Amino acid sequence: MKKLIAAVALALLSQPALAEEAAPEQARWSLAIHGGAGTLDPKAMTPEKRAAYEADLQRALDAGSKILAEGGDAMDAIKAAIIIMEDSPLFNAGKGAVFTWDGTNELDASIMDGRDRSAGAVAGVKTVRNPILLADTVRTQSEHVMLMGAGAEAFAAEKGFEVTPPEYFATEARREALERLKAEKLSALDVDHKFGTVGAVALDTKGNMAAGTSTGGMTGKRWGRVGDAPMIGAGTYADNRACALSATGWGEYFIRVGVAHEICARLRTWWTVDPQTMESALGEALAKAGSDDANSFELKLPRAPEDLAQSIADSVMADVAALGGDGGVILVTPEGHAIFSFNTTGMYRGRATSAGLNEVAIFGGEERASSTPDH
């Protein structure tokens, strides 16, 4: 019987779109940000450290929210939020990037526009203060999606980016992490208790969505290792029909699962099928199979868009965990929901919406709503 139900459901999901969700309200906007997920210990979080992280998260959230509240574009909002986190030494992106095995800081970033699915990405750059801006320039001023290393830096120079000296990115805490990794023969996971990748996703009042991600990678990375952050479909994805998403975590697993695209694709697939049509078809299948429960059959599907998005995100993150990886995602939906999903003890995160939600959080289950900032 279960096989029959699965077969009918699969057949329905394979059909052309039968129903579309109503367009989002024009005044609705939504923003979510992250500053990395990982094994965070509440006991090791001093009040001073917590205040510093929350302050920078709030600054990033406010910068993006202001643009959206004033009717600005989702792309501009996510760039504004990410730049603040790239410029903060607290996160593993830009200024606070981790060191490679050779003692350098190599930066990755990607960005995507949900309107036309245009995308740009850079990997392994060393002289660009805000890699998210270079990724966007790749998107808008080249025929390519991803540039890497010296070529990406040559492109940056051609487009007028100032050369940032290597010492700008170096912080003592990140240098000590590399030294400890080498001295004690540890892995990056032993010294990086969190994945400090930063990201932002947004829905603007015109119904357009965007996503961006920026990172310094993993401490002690070698041989030009690149994680999921600059990979469209793994660490970043945006599609106005489904969602905008940014990921943070153990990149190799996010690449293998294709986390960002997987979540958005599942959302898009679900909403191409009218739940009533699916329920009717499955009920008929049970009746034809002679089930005694056919008349009282009730299909258990998540009805609310927010519940559906949360369920799908949690399912994909469970898949990552089953393979051995950990981390988290942020996403916004066309309906304006801002959602988190992570399989770690914490994720530096924040979200704000036109409905008045405005909050930042660090550990699991501690979201606390407050009024929207007065811009």
Side-chain angles (χ1 to χ4, degrees):
M1 188 60 64
K2 291 182 179 179
K3 290 182 179 179
L4 176 61
I5 293 174
V8 176
L10 181 60
L12 281 168
L13 291 174
S14 301
Q15 297 300 312
L18 298 177
E20 295 291 341
E21 277 292 290
E25 296 177 8
Q26 291 302 302
R28 185 178 295 166
W29 60 264
S30 182
L31 174 71
I33 64 171
H34 71 74
T39 305
L40 306 175
D41 183 1
K43 296 179 181 178
M45 180 64 69
T46 65
E48 294 77 15
K49 183 183 295 185
R50 184 185 187 106
Y53 275 107
E54 289 181 342
D56 278 358
L57 287 170
Q58 192 66 60
R59 286 199 308 119
L61 194 63
D62 289 348
S65 297
K66 184 176 189 296
I67 291 171
L68 295 172
E70 294 175 351
D73 289 343
M75 290 295 292
D76 292 333
I78 65 166
K79 286 186 286 185
I82 290 172
I83 285 171
I84 286 176
M85 292 186 284
E86 285 181 333
D87 288 346
S88 169
L90 297 178
F91 304 105
N92 177 19
K95 174 68 174 176
V98 300
F99 282 90
T100 68
W101 183 266
D102 296 325
T104 60
N105 306 106
E106 295 182 359
L107 314 172
D108 308 328
S110 63
I111 196 167
M112 190 168 186
D113 191 331
R115 287 174 290 194
D116 57 2
R117 283 174 282 171
S118 60
V122 294
V125 297
K126 301 178 181 179
T127 62
V128 178
R129 174 171 175 159
N130 295 114
I132 195 66
L133 295 181
L134 181 57
D136 195 43
T137 304
V138 173
R139 180 184 73 88
T140 59
Q141 298 184 38
S142 83
E143 63 272 34
H144 307 299
V145 169
M146 179 182 284
L147 300 179
M148 62 175 288
E153 292 180 340
F155 174 80
E158 185 177 308
K159 298 302 178 182
F161 281 75
E162 292 185 5
V163 175
T164 302
E167 54 267 24
Y168 165 80
F169 303 102
T171 61
E172 191 58 33
R174 299 300 192 188
R175 194 182 302 278
E176 289 176 358
L178 175 65
E179 292 172 353
R180 186 158 62 89
L181 178 144
K182 288 184 174 182
E184 300 178 24
K185 297 182 179 180
L186 303 173
S187 73
L189 300 180
D190 293 318
V191 296
D192 294 338
H193 298 296
K194 71 178 184 68
F195 303 100
T197 296
V198 306
V201 293
L203 166 75
D204 63 33
T205 56
K206 296 176 284 294
N208 295 319
M209 290 189 283
T213 311
S214 182
T215 189
M218 300 183 82
T219 298
K221 62 183 180 181
R222 306 173 74 177
W223 310 299
R225 179 265 183 187
V226 177
D228 65 303
M231 295 192 183
I232 300 301
T236 303
Y237 202 76
D239 183 342
N240 278 5
R241 301 171 298 174
C243 75
L245 187 146
S246 173
T248 173
W250 195 341
E252 280 70 12
Y253 292 93
F254 281 71
I255 294 169
R256 288 164 59 184
V257 175
V259 166
H261 181 267
E262 179 75 7
I263 292 173
C264 287
R266 289 193 193 185
L267 272 168
R268 190 175 71 246
T269 300
W270 266 107
W271 289 121
T272 61
V273 180
D274 176 22
Q276 290 184 343
T277 301
M278 179 180 284
E279 185 169 341
S280 175
L282 293 180
E284 289 177 9
L286 285 173
K288 290 179 180 179
S291 171
D292 294 334
D293 297 325
N295 292 330
S296 61
F297 176 73
E298 181 181 357
L299 184 62
K300 300 295 184 182
L301 287 176
R303 292 291 199 234
E306 184 175 15
D307 293 340
L308 175 65
Q310 187 71 62
S311 176
I312 288 175
D314 291 345
S315 175
V316 174
M317 287 308 302
D319 191 15
V320 172
L323 293 179
D326 57 1
V329 297
I330 56 172
L331 67 146
V332 294
T333 70
E335 299 80 25
H337 303 297
I339 292 169
F340 308 122
S341 180
F342 51 97
N343 59 20
T344 55
T345 57
M347 179 166 73
Y348 294 94
R349 61 199 185 278
R351 58 184 172 183
T353 71
S354 54
L357 176 66
N358 184 276
E359 62 185 11
V360 296
I362 297 176
F363 300 102
E366 65 176 19
E367 282 82 6
R368 52 193 189 284
S370 62
S371 59
T372 302
D374 182 15
H375 295 308

